[in-house]
Amino acid sequence: YQQYQKLSEDKFHFSDLYNRYETLSKQKLYFTPRAMELQELMSLYSKDKTKSDSLYAIYQQLEKDKKLYTPQLMALNEESKNLKKREQKWKEEYMAEHPSVATYFLLMDDLMSLVDYQVHGFPEEFDMLSFKNVQDLESLYNTIYKPMFPEHSYTTLVATMLQSLKQIEVGGRYIDFTAPDFEGNSVTLSEQIKGKVALIDLWASWCGPCRRSAKSMIPVYEKYKSKGFTIVGVAREKTVQTAKAAALQDGYPWLNLVELNDAGNIWFKYCVGNSGGGTFLVDQEGKILAICPTAEEVERILEKMLK
């Protein structure tokens, strides 16, 4: 692995690039003045949920309008993307010519970076990863690494990531799982949502945005539950008690399950392993209609589908 790192640095000089990013940061030329102003305000009002949410919405709009970063940073990002594109091609050739556990890690790490941003990534993060091609990485996995390391833990992990990257997107199909309810009874998701439009709500007692999102869905659930709509929540917790207390406090009227200590790797399978959660609206056949929709977006979809 060290040999690979040295070869890569000698060929592409990434350390020089990172130094230039650091220089921009020190010169306060990373974020635009408006973005820095919003960051200060979000920090100031971090304990005021209403104000904080409002500021974050403005911040997200700034991102969509491409006014979050300075022209200097955007130019450096473009240069970085082009360099990484060339490095990726060379790296894939290196992985094909020098298969080992070290290069298997490189393959797994590439897929992991794509999984991490599949659901919650910003557009510019997707753009910076656009040079990583899932099909090329899958080909390396199937033709070289899976046959060479059939029993290695990476092999199962990569297979799961490839499945998630193909399915967890609008138009893809939800991934089934079984998890206990608050009383410890095993419940299979597909049995609960079969034939219904369903919102799969992955949340956690410690995730404020997750809980605000879930509470906003209560009126939608009450309005459409008799028309073929359901919600199944899954809390990511260390104990059942924390999940039960949060669900009781927030008043969720639907079935909630619990994922204790990531026993079923549900968050990982749904490409939200580094976050508190995410929501996935699926139709009667299990096709994903929307990822992390607002309550208003869910209602608009249900209005059309469940007349």
Side-chain angles (χ1 to χ4, degrees):
Y1 183 71
Q2 289 177 331
Q3 181 185 40
Y4 161 78
Q5 293 282 20
K6 186 177 186 309
L7 287 169
S8 177
E9 176 58 26
D10 290 345
K11 191 173 184 66
F12 298 102
H13 306 288
F14 279 109
S15 59
D16 293 341
L17 188 74
Y18 300 145
N19 288 335
R20 291 166 63 191
Y21 274 109
E22 188 174 347
T23 298
L24 284 181
S25 180
K26 288 178 179 178
Q27 294 176 343
K28 298 188 182 300
L29 292 173
Y30 204 98
F31 293 100
T32 61
R34 178 57 174 156
M36 289 190 288
E37 179 188 3
L38 284 169
Q39 289 168 359
E40 290 179 6
L41 287 170
M42 285 190 290
S43 177
L44 181 64
Y45 292 102
S46 60
K47 295 183 180 180
D48 184 334
K49 291 181 179 179
T50 302
K51 189 73 173 177
S52 180
D53 287 350
S54 176
L55 288 167
Y56 184 63
I58 297 171
Y59 194 78
Q60 285 183 309
Q61 187 60 49
L62 208 65
E63 163 67 23
K64 291 178 182 177
D65 294 340
K66 299 186 183 299
K67 295 180 180 178
L68 193 63
Y69 301 114
T70 64
Q72 294 94 324
L73 183 78
M74 293 174 70
L76 190 55
N77 279 346
E78 189 64 26
E79 185 179 337
S80 174
K81 186 175 74 170
N82 291 333
L83 185 64
K84 288 180 178 179
K85 184 176 182 179
R86 290 195 287 114
E87 189 259 355
Q88 182 71 19
K89 184 176 185 299
W90 171 81
K91 180 166 64 171
E92 289 177 12
E93 291 172 353
Y94 186 90
M95 287 190 286
E97 294 168 4
H98 303 87
S100 68
V101 172
T103 50
Y104 203 1
F105 170 78
L106 296 175
L107 172 63
M108 182 195 68
D109 193 52
D110 271 353
L111 288 169
M112 186 72 77
S113 65
L114 292 168
V115 167
D116 285 346
Y117 296 108
Q118 179 85 342
V119 170
H120 291 304
F122 286 121
E124 84 279 0
E125 290 169 331
F126 282 116
D127 190 44
M128 289 297 287
L129 292 171
S130 61
F131 52 84
K132 296 182 188 290
N133 186 285
V134 175
Q135 288 72 32
D136 292 342
L137 296 170
E138 184 175 17
S139 178
L140 284 171
Y141 168 72
N142 285 325
T143 60
I144 298 174
Y145 289 91
K146 183 179 178 181
M148 182 176 283
F149 301 104
E151 303 300 323
H152 199 283
S153 58
Y154 288 175
T155 302
T156 302
L157 187 62
V158 169
T160 300
M161 287 192 287
L162 287 169
Q163 180 189 18
S164 298
L165 287 167
K166 290 177 182 178
Q167 292 186 221
I168 305 304
E169 60 181 10
V170 174
R173 182 176 174 79
Y174 80 95
I175 295 174
D176 201 11
F177 57 79
T178 299
D181 62 18
F182 289 167
E183 282 67 51
N185 304 304
S186 290
V187 177
T188 299
L189 176 66
S190 57
E191 295 174 358
Q192 298 298 315
I193 68 174
K194 184 178 181 180
K196 296 182 178 182
V197 179
L199 186 74
I200 304 165
D201 180 24
L202 306 184
W203 64 282
S205 62
W206 42 268
C207 177
C210 302
R211 292 175 64 175
R212 288 195 291 274
S213 171
K215 284 192 285 186
S216 74
M217 296 293 175
I218 294 175
V220 181
Y221 174 78
E222 296 293 354
K223 183 176 180 179
Y224 290 94
K225 66 180 181 180
S226 62
K227 300 179 181 181
F229 174 60
T230 192
I231 297 177
V232 175
V234 190
R236 187 185 201 182
E237 305 292 325
K238 294 187 181 299
T239 69
V240 177
Q241 288 70 27
T242 54
K244 290 178 72 172
L248 180 64
Q249 181 180 7
D250 293 348
Y252 306 146
W254 49 77
L255 171 68
N256 268 286
L257 311 178
V258 63
E259 167 84 330
L260 293 175
N261 300 306
D262 287 326
N265 280 327
I266 296 171
W267 266 244
F268 180 71
K269 292 174 182 176
Y270 274 78
C271 301
V272 289
N274 289 332
S275 69
T279 55
F280 306 84
L281 185 68
V282 303
D283 69 9
Q284 295 92 333
E285 282 72 49
K287 183 176 74 174
I288 297 175
L289 300 172
I291 294 177
C292 297
T294 64
E296 293 75 17
E297 289 169 339
V298 171
E299 185 160 14
R300 280 199 296 270
I301 293 171
L302 295 179
E303 185 65 31
K304 294 177 181 178
M305 297 188 68
L306 302 177
K307 292 181 179 180

